[in-house]
Amino acid sequence: MLSVSMRLRSVLLASAAALVPGAVSAQSASSTSLPAVTVDAPAQQRAVAARKPRNAAPSARTARTTPAATPARVDAQAPSVPGALTVLTAQQALREIQQTPGGVALVTADAWRTSTPSNTIKDILDYVPGVFAQPKWGDDTRLSIRGSSLSRNFHLRGVQLYMDGIPINTADGYGDFQEIDPTAYKYVEVFKGGNALRFGANSLGGAINFVTPTGRDPFPNGASVDMGAFGFRRLQANTGGANGPWDGFITASTQSADGFRNHSNGEATRVSGNVGYQFSPDFETRFYLNANSVRQRIPGSVSKTSALNSPETAAAGNLTGDQQRNIDTVRLANKTTIRLDNTTIDFGVFGVDRHLMHPIFQYLDYSYQDYGGFAKVTDDRNIGGYRNVFVAGVNVINGRIDNNQYVNVAGQKGALTSSSIDRSKNTSVYVENSLYVLPTVALIGGTQFLYAARNRQDRFLNDGDQSGATEFNLWSPKGGLLWNIDPTWQAYANISLSAEVPSFGESSNGPGIPTIPFTSIRPQRATTYEIGTRGRRPDLTWELTGYRANITDELQCIYSAFGNCNVTNADRTIHQGIEAGLGIAVFKGIFDAGPLPDKLWLNMAYTFNDFRFDNDATFGNNLLPGAPRHYLRAELLYKHANGFYLGPNLEWVPEAYYVDSANTLKTEPYALLGLKAGVDNGGTYSGYIEARNVLDTRYIASASILNQATATSPLFEPGTGRAIYAGVKARW
């Protein structure tokens, strides 16, 4: 397997290198680089003309950076290069996302790309309130939005991941982070809960969309080097450009790390690219390629005592079984956009081939083939003197898993233990309408219909026939209000229903517990009430959202056997909380009181979680395990107009949280102190150095859950010790 990875790495990097001269030539022939537009308060602002926004209409769509995100530069397209039609600029995406009457965020790449190692999804989402992302080992991360996926001790559930609007999750709902390359994106969109209707998302946590640049973006060429603690090293390069109606962009990275813990070494090579062609200024098609090869060893979960006293130690079974998660993927897609006066039509298709080689308690050898398509119509016009925005679309994602499991013999295949063909079908149709009853007030209503089917054909009958099929027909309506109080301030409220269809992994069996096949698992339904405000002023950004979700049949760990969680349906549960973000210039003109004064910028993201059973027959009103009640991320940065920045940061979980539904075993509270410094003035070169966990605190970063734990239950993932990272980047 390693030889396959090395060959793929060589091919990908050679392909990227071969494309560099031509792409650079095309860019230089078609445009001249201009300074970037800066729209956030702490950085220097420059005025550059930008192309006409898509779907322009009289509106209150004001450009704001996302509250609580690290102050970010948003680059406008140089006027001599017509912008891409299929991919929005960050400014356009921001205008669209902030038409949502609920919790959303847009994080531009400079919020994480030039000032952190950007080696996990945590670096991207750290300052988005409501999101809890904690790395376990390598790229694997425990991610939860509003309490989603708390019962998933492996893989991701409850949040749907997209790359350029193309699904990353498998057709039956699982997701992994090995295919996420934080160096590859120009911005990331976060849609919390039912606010992800535009993707046809149907889960409690919502959706995250990772957007790659095109050859029509400024500074399409670049290279970076990052290195640091525990053998981490990465080389990345990208190139692109436009030539007449054509444009193209490709980025590739290769990285490796020894890992903080024993048996946590890994390496990955990733490449993403796209080629676009404009038939006219209002008609564009774009082809996408994404490929990944990841080889990662797994140190495993350990007891609380081991995690806090010997954090580098791997679980014994992970060593004897040489446990790993190895993935090869290739994703191909096309997206076409047509603009007709006030109407825009987007449509496309995609296909994904993924091979998982995963020796754990058994050797899992899974081959996935996912495919589908999407279409969306957006109509933005005045009707009877009132602005009206109508959106309708359909998403189809189907898939087939060739599922084989073997006895794990020291990381190699032994005897076959199970085999099946698992097929999934998902079709979602959605519609949403925003009527501006006043120039600054929109009433928003919509609904989604989801048809989903799961079919398993068991090919290993020695232990009985586990074949079966199930299907679902689910409606998820929503309604909301969006009020643009002034050009810098919004308020919103909404009520939404969501539905999450179970995957093949939800079931129950084992000694002393009921046998519940996957065909008997019901879909998780939630009604969410949400109210909040967000805004951006020259030296102040904020977000404050409160929500409550009443959930029936939540997919929860109700039974366990052999120490493993069996996910079935709880009766009723409640998820409620507060998401608060703040960015503020505490002081200005400290050493430089000129027209662009230096500033001391405070950036904070606080999440309050109150997740509990609701009069459950077994667990009463116990707290749901798996997420901290309070989570605070904050930094205080001195920023100068010349691009220099310096300051400390804090990650704080002040209260331990339970790891079992019986509420008998907890993690430990912790506080981590960090420090970073660097230079990034929006020009060709930038560099950073960052120290993490400066005090070398021993802590638990994440935890798996059970229904009933003991003091020795191996559920805990130790956090990384003191680490220093540094990197440099060039772009042109």
Side-chain angles (χ1 to χ4, degrees), residues 68-72 108-118 122-124 126-127 600-601 603 633-639 643-650 672-680 687-694 723-727:
T70 301
T108 53
D110 54 290
W112 78 86
R113 181 68 183 89
T114 58
S115 60
T116 76
S118 57
K122 177 179 171 64
D123 290 324
I124 300 175
D126 240 0
Y127 289 92
L600 191 63
W601 186 267
N603 191 38
R633 195 74 169 97
E635 66 179 2
L636 186 64
L637 286 181
Y638 170 79
K639 295 183 71 91
F644 173 75
Y645 59 88
L646 169 69
N649 56 73
L650 174 70
L672 306 179
L673 180 65
L675 181 67
K676 67 180 179 181
V679 176
D680 180 15
Y688 74 92
I689 183 169
E690 180 179 12
R692 297 184 171 182
N693 193 5
V694 172
I724 298 178
Y725 300 92

Side-chain angles (χ1 to χ4, degrees), residues 73 188 283 362 402 445 482 493 564 623 650 692 703 711 719:
R73 182 182 59 255
V188 175
F283 182 8
Q362 293 183 347
D402 188 345
L482 180 65
N564 294 319
L623 295 176
L650 174 70
R692 297 184 171 182

